Structures are given as C-alpha cells and as structure tokens.
Amino acid sequence: MEYYSTKRQSPIVGLRDAVIDCMPSDGGLYMPEALPVIPKAFINNMPDMNLREIAYVTTNMFLGSDVDSATLKKIVDESMNFEVPLVRLSDRRYALELFHGPTMAFKDFGAMFMSRLVQSFNPHDGTKLNVLVATTGNTGAAVAKGFSEAPDVNVFVLYPQNHRLPDMYPRLIDVGSNVHAVEVGGSIDDCKAMVSAAFADAALREKLLLTSANSVNFARLMPQLALFFYAYAQLMSAGADASAADIALPSGNLGMLTAGLLARRAGLTCGRLIAACNANNTFDVLMKTGRLVKRPTVSTLARFMDMSMPSNLPRLMNLCDGDTSRLRGEVDSASVSDQLIEQTISRTYEMTGYQTEPHAAVGLAALDMRSDAERPGVVFATAHPALSRRTVERLTGCSVAGAKTAEKATSAPTGKAVKLPATYPALRKYLLANQ
Ligand SMILES: *Cc1c(COP(=O)(O)O)cnc(C)c1O
C-alpha cells in the first residue's frame, strides 16, 4: 500500500516511511491510497470471533501487502491482549470498556500496536530509533510502556512543567531505562514546537532516526479501526441492532473518529458516529458553523481531551474531499460542559449503578443529546475511573475499584524527570547526548 500526504505536496511513500517518518514535509498527514472494503461474509461471522481475530483481518486489509502475516498476527496478539467488555447500562445504552490495558486508557491500543510495528521494521544494525512525543495527556505513559523493553529504541516524552500532571506520569518515568521523561519549562505548545523543530532539523535527522508517536502517526489508527468492528460484533452478540447503533466517541485529537470513519468506509454499518467534545469544542463549532476558529485550550474534568486544535482534522477533511457539509452528513458532534459531565456521572450511577468517569461521561451526555432513545447507543469508555478517582468518588459517593492498583503504580517514582528550558537547542543537545 502507498501513502500520500493530505496536502499532496510531499512524495508518495511506503508503509515504513509513513509510520517512521510520520510527518510529511509539506505539513500534511499520511493517508492510505486505497480504502479496502471488508467482505460482508466476514462481518456476519464476527460474533464468533475474538478481538484479536477481528483485528487481524481488519489490519491485514490495510497492512497485509507490507507486513507478512505471521508478523502481523504477532503484532496484533501482543498489542490487543486485554479484555474489552461491552457493558449494558440500560435498555439501549452500552459502554465498550477500552481501559483494561497497562496504562488504563485506550491509548494503549495505538501505542502498543505502533511500537511493535515500528520494531518489525528495525534493521537491527545498531541504528537507534528515537521516538518523540509531546503530551499533557496519557499518550506519554502509553507510549513509554509500549516501547519500554524495546531494544534499539529511545523514547523522549516531553511534557510541560506545572501541568496538572496525570496521576500516571511518575509511572512513565520508571518504566524503562530507554524512556526519558523530559519536563519542559514552558507550555504544551512549547513542547510541540520543540518536537516539530527536531523534525525540521535536517542536520539532526542526518544523524538520528526520529519518529513521533503522537496521533498524527497513521499506525495508531489501525487497532482503533478494529475496535469499531469489535463493537459491532459485541452488540450483535448482545442481541442489539448493531447496524443502527449510534457510537459516541470521547474526542480530543479526533484519532478515534478518523478510525471510525475509515471503518465505515471499509464496510462497517452503524448509526451516527458522534464526536463527543468537552469544553474544547473547536470541532463542534466547525460542524455547526462551518468555521474553524482556534481558541485557547481550557482545562476540563475530561483532561486527556484538553486540546483546542484536533490534529487529525486534516484526515477527516480529506476523507470528505474538504467538504464540511459532507462531513456533517457522516458524523455528528456535541460539546459537553464540566457541569454536565458531573451530572452525567452522578445520574448514571444513581440510575444504573455503573461508575463512570469524565471522558466516558462526555460520550454518554453526547449520546443523550444526539441519539434518539429508540436506537441502541454505545459509548467508547476510554479511561478507567481510577484515573479520575477523586472526581468519581466525590460524585458517586462510592470508592473506585481498581484504584489501589493505580495508586501503587503511580506512587513514588524510581526514575527522575530531566528538566529542560523551552528552547529547541536544549532539546537538540539532550537528544544527541542520550543515544
Ligand atoms: C486521547 C484520549 C481521548 C481522545 O481521543 P482522540 O483520538 O484524540 O480524539 C479520549 N479519552 C481518553 C481517555 C484519551 O486518553
């Protein structure tokens, strides 16, 4: 399969370059030249298949021409090796729990899959691959974990100082000696700018092999695409009308929504795909007004979705030939305030006994706003309640199961973050010194 840049200025590349050299120089994002279609017979057989079997078939449609089947099977088996239960909340409402992986959030799928795929390209000739990621969310932890025992890989996680640190940050620091937690004396925008500067530094890239594990990386979308087919299969097994089900996606960089749209193009039938945004509602405003307005990022309870400019927007626009009204025909959106997040967590617990957390609550509230009660609706529950333990316990009055594990994993870091000023030369020097 070949991959083109959404801006169409950079050359066409193969899978390896699309994944490793994942940011085309024209500033676009890589997309596959062809959109394969999954045979109907397969879709009908899915209820008898487990997640790994389904994911092997769906990823093979895209990657099979570049990755041999035994390797791909191993990558899928290793990166999708935890449970993904579909929980019934009420008559027609379901939650697909995507948070049973090592860092308790759905980023584990993309990070683990990408890390194994990248390693399958490794020539093992001593060349070090340097994985850079700028984050305020949980991508850093998932990526650090995903690459933690990888030979010939260095991981650099840049995050802003004074950020309200996600609880699992200390954990990413001690996951492996090849993982560097870099606390930057600036904002997330400074962190992103430093990573971009490294990619734009041709002299550095002569010396070092760099890649990014942010959601601009196409590889991250592949296991997520499989989750949509799995959701369909699980709904069918539960006796629901899967092909009518609306799917609400707690959204930030819109990687999950992009994967959902790709799944639909690949033959999945479902109701609406609903992008559920928190108060950072650039996408919802774009959908409602056709205007793209960048606003400052605000902090919300659903903090892993706190970003004002969703990085996968170019892919979504590309899938709809740049036509916002066509996009509107295929996806729906809603924006959910912190107040509504709180109400949703309390009310869900009162009415169903299900303890949910802020990210999934954004999805549940969006389902209430956008899906009619007659249709089945499923929310992708992207984070474990233990990651927002205090909020969840305050609103439900009940302690969070699994919180102990999270606390243990996040207690006293054994490693240490390095501190760097928010300047590119500081990062450059640090990268070169840590090969
Ligand atoms: C990253 C993240 C999201 C948003 O996913 P996108 O693909 O970036 O839209 C939602 N929930 C959680 C818990 C996340 O970590």
Side-chain angles (χ1 to χ4, degrees), residues 11 29-30 33 55 81 98 114 205 225 234 317 349 357:
L29 298 176
Y30 283 119
E33 270 289 359
N81 59 0
L98 306 177
M114 184 208 152
R205 296 182 71 181
L225 179 134
Q234 290 292 295
M317 294 312 292
Y349 189 66
E357 57 74 58

Side-chain angles (χ1 to χ4, degrees), residues 18-19 110 113-114 117-118 216-224 315:
V19 171
F113 186 90
M114 184 208 152
L117 182 64
V118 161
V216 295
N217 200 311
F218 177 75
R220 281 188 36 185
L221 302 181
M222 284 289 99
Q224 292 176 201
R315 286 196 171 111

Side-chain angles (χ1 to χ4, degrees), residues 396-408:
T396 62
C398 181
S399 61
V400 173
K404 281 264 173 336
T405 341
E407 257 161 33
K408 190 155 157 268

Side-chain angles (χ1 to χ4, degrees), residues 105-107 138 224 250-256 304-305 359 382-383:
F106 91 93
K107 297 283 193 310
N138 49 3
Q224 292 176 201
S251 291
N253 277 319
L254 300 174
M256 196 61 113
F304 302 141
M305 293 152 43
H359 305 83
T382 48

Side-chain angles (χ1 to χ4, degrees), residues 45-269:
N45 287 334
M46 284 191 313
D48 297 327
M49 299 167 77
N50 66 32
L51 174 62
R52 287 171 290 282
E53 289 165 336
I54 290 174
Y56 172 73
V57 173
T58 60
T59 51
N60 190 49
M61 301 284 296
F62 285 84
L63 308 181
S65 52
D66 299 290
V67 184
D68 71 75
S69 56
T71 306
L72 187 58
K73 187 157 184 314
K74 188 160 178 280
I75 294 171
V76 168
D77 285 350
E78 286 182 11
S79 55
M80 307 188 88
N81 59 0
F82 38 90
E83 291 311 304
V84 180
L86 181 76
V87 179
R88 187 154 173 272
L89 306 183
S90 62
D91 243 11
R92 292 189 184 75
R93 289 288 179 266
Y94 300 84
L96 186 70
E97 295 187 348
L98 306 177
F99 52 71
H100 297 286
T103 72
M104 301 175 145
F106 91 93
K107 297 283 193 310
D108 282 326
F109 290 103
M112 288 168 77
F113 186 90
M114 184 208 152
S115 70
R116 271 123 191 115
L117 182 64
V118 161
Q119 287 169 71
S120 78
F121 301 139
N122 193 330
H124 296 294
D125 60 358
T127 313
K128 283 264 184 198
L129 176 67
N130 295 282
V131 181
L132 269 52
V133 52
T135 178
T136 54
N138 49 3
T139 304
V143 169
K145 189 82 193 157
F147 280 102
S148 68
E149 278 139 40
D152 302 329
V153 177
N154 296 318
V155 181
F156 300 89
V157 181
L158 277 68
Y159 59 93
Q161 71 176 14
N162 302 331
H163 184 71
R164 193 160 49 110
L165 282 184
D167 296 341
M168 82 285 280
Y169 262 115
R171 184 165 28 159
L172 74 87
I173 298 168
D174 61 22
V175 284
S177 57
N178 61 335
V179 178
H180 300 257
V182 180
E183 186 179 311
V184 171
S187 65
I188 179 61
D189 292 325
D190 294 320
C191 298
K192 284 186 180 164
M194 288 161 75
V195 170
S196 300
F199 276 91
D201 181 345
L204 181 78
R205 296 182 71 181
E206 289 275 301
K207 294 198 186 91
L208 305 183
L209 185 58
L210 299 185
T211 188
S212 162
N214 279 106
S215 69
V216 295
N217 200 311
F218 177 75
R220 281 188 36 185
L221 302 181
M222 284 289 99
Q224 292 176 201
L225 179 134
L227 294 172
F228 287 85
F229 285 94
Y230 186 67
Y232 182 97
Q234 290 292 295
L235 284 166
M236 265 169 98
S237 300
D241 180 3
S243 58
D246 293 327
I247 306 178
L249 308 168
S251 291
N253 277 319
L254 300 174
M256 196 61 113
L257 181 64
T258 306
L261 207 50
L262 283 171
R264 205 133 78 176
R265 298 294 165 84
L268 180 82
T269 42

